[in-house]
Amino acid sequence: MIPSEKHFINFDSQFLILVLFLFLPFVGIGQNYNLVVSDTWLSVQNSAAVNVSGNLVNEDNGSIKLDGKICVGSHVINNADNNMFLDQQVIPTGVLMMSSLLINQQIRGFGNSIFFPNLHLIGTKKTLYLADCQVNNKLFVEAEFELNRLNFIINNKNTDGIHYISGFIRSESQPSQYGTIQWNIQNNTGAFSIPFGSGMGNENDLNLTIITETSGSAEGFYKTATYPTEDFTNIPFPSMVMSLDPYQEVNVVDRFWFVEPTYVSRPNISLAFKYNPNDFDTPNQVRENTLEAVRHNDAQQKWDDWKPGGIVNPQTKTVLTNSIPRQHQFSHWALVSEDESGDIWMPNAFSPDRDEYFTNEDYGPVITFPYAKYEFFIFNRWGEPIFESSDINIRWDGTYKGEVVPMGTYAWLIVITKHSTKKYKYNGIVNVIL
């Protein structure tokens, strides 16, 4: 812990800083001491390494040129009106390591966002308190990284912009303010993996991969996030989402994903969602081997106007979509499963005799589950169709060509098409009693 009595090492002389880091390969700032850079600049050369046991603080127009390594045991704080690490190489080699094994470390300050050359997170939990910080080369993840409803930027269009070792990135904040990873993919292609995690273990059990199949415009990026819902009702919904229709809440994984493109010309992509089975435990009725990804069309307020299709792998707990054209990319995604075929109720007899009571005069099913399409057929004893309907409210009145059919046994067939396009057939017989 940082002692109550503050200890500071202030560098007021530019000359002193240059001498210190040009000629000493390793400098250690003693136990629980802070390194404060104020009204000057600090240069750490390629061959140099600095160990700061306390806070690393940049303020009063200080700045740091980091080509070597700084290892920080407490918090990284920027109170200056610059981005802290300046004059970076084209491909930065400098590394800021947050490596405490004892305290939860923070990235914070009252100044501008911090632009790290490389950032390596090791050990205990790290929490972001400063919006739009970014890493210009690589983020090494070897700890829990809490985004805390803020945005963190990977300013590297290559697929190795995040180097995952262990731990996870925690988004997990509900709408309307997500904790997001913004990856400046630009016009590059490849598989860009974000190691999101639920916190149920020290792993990336919610890993999200964006696979860019074609090049987008040069300035483009994707913002990504995920969050769990409160229970099987999937509340709260994402912004702009009013319902889960046509899906039943018990068939939807209790989690949403946020994948927002910002491009002049978007690439075609596919997505790989890793899921945690705890997000569809009882009372959900999710069938894991039928899971698929769907996205919400905010303009039409629909989940099912278009679906990418894809495959689920229950062994790796991953749903991989087929190609998603640029025009079908919207921000909010969910994983849904095909529900069971469902039961329908059909009486085994009815009496279309047109008596004075006018009861039991028509015939049709009772269906209590959602479906996309309904088809109902009646056949006579020779297998000839004598009635059909695609509207559940239009039932058979026991007639054929305007006349009541003879008393006897007739066959019926119902074909139900689910929103997944899967078809279910039901059949039986009915006795016409006159």
Side-chain angles (χ1 to χ4, degrees):
M1 299 293 293
I2 300 174
S4 57
E5 181 181 357
K6 301 293 184 181
H7 299 279
F8 298 97
I9 297 178
N10 289 283
F11 292 94
D12 296 318
S13 167
Q14 188 179 64
F15 175 79
L16 174 61
I17 297 169
L18 288 171
V19 170
L20 179 62
F21 294 107
L22 282 174
F23 296 103
L24 294 179
F26 176 82
V27 175
I29 308 299
Q31 183 176 10
N32 296 327
Y33 277 77
N34 301 323
L35 175 56
V36 179
V37 181
S38 177
D39 285 324
T40 189
W41 58 278
L42 169 67
S43 178
V44 181
Q45 301 296 312
N46 282 314
S47 58
V50 180
N51 183 54
V52 180
S53 59
N55 299 329
L56 175 63
V57 185
N58 184 53
E59 55 186 332
D60 299 332
N61 295 313
S63 64
I64 301 171
K65 177 174 173 52
L66 178 58
D67 296 327
K69 181 184 296 184
I70 299 178
C71 184
V72 179
S74 191
H75 310 308
V76 178
I77 303 169
N78 188 30
N79 293 327
D81 59 358
N82 59 46
N83 302 115
M84 192 164 179
F85 297 100
L86 305 182
D87 195 21
Q88 296 184 22
Q89 299 161 319
V90 175
I91 301 178
T93 60
V95 180
L96 190 287
M97 299 182 67
M98 300 180 71
S99 57
S100 176
L101 301 177
L102 300 175
I103 66 168
N104 293 337
Q105 295 180 272
Q106 301 172 0
I107 299 171
R108 67 176 199 235
F110 301 107
N112 288 359
S113 305
I114 301 174
F115 289 3
F116 298 94
N118 293 275
L119 177 61
H120 195 157
L121 307 177
I122 308 172
T124 55
K125 178 179 178 180
K126 322 300 177 188
T127 304
L128 185 65
Y129 286 93
L130 195 57
D132 294 323
C133 290
Q134 72 180 39
V135 60
N136 288 326
N137 192 17
K138 294 182 183 180
L139 171 66
F140 296 84
V141 179
E142 203 171 351
E144 176 184 348
F145 183 26
E146 168 67 67
L147 297 176
N148 194 30
R149 296 182 176 270
L150 299 174
N151 185 47
F152 187 88
I153 302 168
I154 309 299
N155 189 35
N156 178 353
K157 72 175 189 176
N158 297 316
T159 57
D160 62 355
I162 298 179
H163 184 81
Y164 177 73
I165 302 168
S166 62
F168 59 95
I169 297 174
R170 181 191 287 269
S171 176
E172 300 298 86
S173 50
Q174 296 180 340
S176 59
Q177 190 174 356
Y178 304 116
T180 53
I181 290 291
Q182 173 183 322
W183 202 322
N184 296 345
I185 294 172
Q186 301 176 21
N187 56 0
N188 208 359
T189 58
F192 300 82
S193 290
I194 302 102
F196 286 129
S198 66
M200 295 181 184
N202 191 35
E203 60 180 348
N204 58 331
D205 59 341
L206 299 172
N207 195 86
L208 173 67
T209 302
I210 301 171
I211 304 159
T212 53
E213 301 167 345
T214 61
S215 295
S217 48
E219 79 298 330
F221 60 84
Y222 280 88
K223 274 189 177 181
T224 59
T226 181
Y227 76 89
T229 59
E230 294 175 358
D231 55 32
F232 75 96
T233 63
N234 296 88
I235 300 295
F237 294 144
S239 304
M240 300 297 294
V241 175
M242 307 305 294
S243 76
L244 293 174
D245 291 342
Y247 303 106
Q248 290 184 299
E249 56 195 18
V250 293
N251 300 129
V252 180
V253 171
D254 299 338
R255 172 174 295 280
F256 292 103
W257 283 261
F258 176 76
V259 184
E260 182 178 71
T262 301
Y263 278 86
V264 172
S265 177
R266 300 172 183 175
N268 294 339
I269 66 170
S270 54
L271 295 170
F273 300 89
K274 193 170 183 181
Y275 59 86
N276 189 318
N278 289 301
D279 286 333
F280 51 85
D281 55 8
T282 305
N284 285 297
Q285 299 173 18
V286 169
R287 300 169 64 201
E288 187 175 2
N289 63 348
T290 67
L291 278 172
E292 60 180 344
V294 294
R295 57 89 179 111
H296 186 262
N297 185 326
D298 293 345
Q300 297 183 20
Q301 280 295 305
K302 290 183 177 180
W303 284 99
D304 64 338
D305 64 298
W306 178 87
K307 294 198 299 184
I311 56 174
V312 58
N313 186 331
Q315 282 69 47
T316 60
K317 309 299 180 189
T318 303
V319 173
L320 174 65
T321 73
N322 293 330
S323 183
I324 306 165
R326 56 179 61 90
Q327 70 271 23
H328 287 298
Q329 293 178 37
F330 291 85
S331 298
H332 295 106
W333 289 79
L335 298 182
V336 303
S337 77
E338 173 62 35
D339 53 359
E340 299 286 352
S341 57
D343 294 324
I344 68 173
W345 183 83
M346 292 286 280
N348 57 18
F350 81 119
S351 177
D353 55 7
R354 307 298 189 269
D355 61 17
E356 66 272 21
Y357 302 107
F358 204 75
T359 58
N360 200 23
E361 297 282 347
D362 58 16
Y363 184 74
V366 175
I367 302 176
T368 59
F369 55 84
Y371 55 86
K373 185 179 180 182
Y374 161 85
E375 298 168 278
F376 178 33
F377 305 90
I378 300 289
F379 304 89
N380 63 20
R381 69 180 66 185
W382 296 284
E384 298 169 335
I386 62 173
F387 173 80
E388 65 180 80
S389 172
S390 58
D391 183 344
I392 198 169
N393 296 309
I394 300 177
R395 298 158 62 88
W396 185 39
D397 62 2
T399 66
Y400 177 57
K401 294 184 177 180
E403 300 290 335
V404 176
V405 299
M407 186 168 63
T409 301
Y410 295 80
W412 59 265
L413 170 67
I414 293 175
V415 180
I416 296 293
T417 305
K418 293 298 190 71
H419 292 90
S420 65
T421 71
K422 190 173 182 179
K423 293 181 182 291
Y424 296 91
K425 294 183 178 180
Y426 306 80
N427 58 76
I429 58 172
V430 57
N431 293 306
V432 174
I433 301 172
L434 299 175

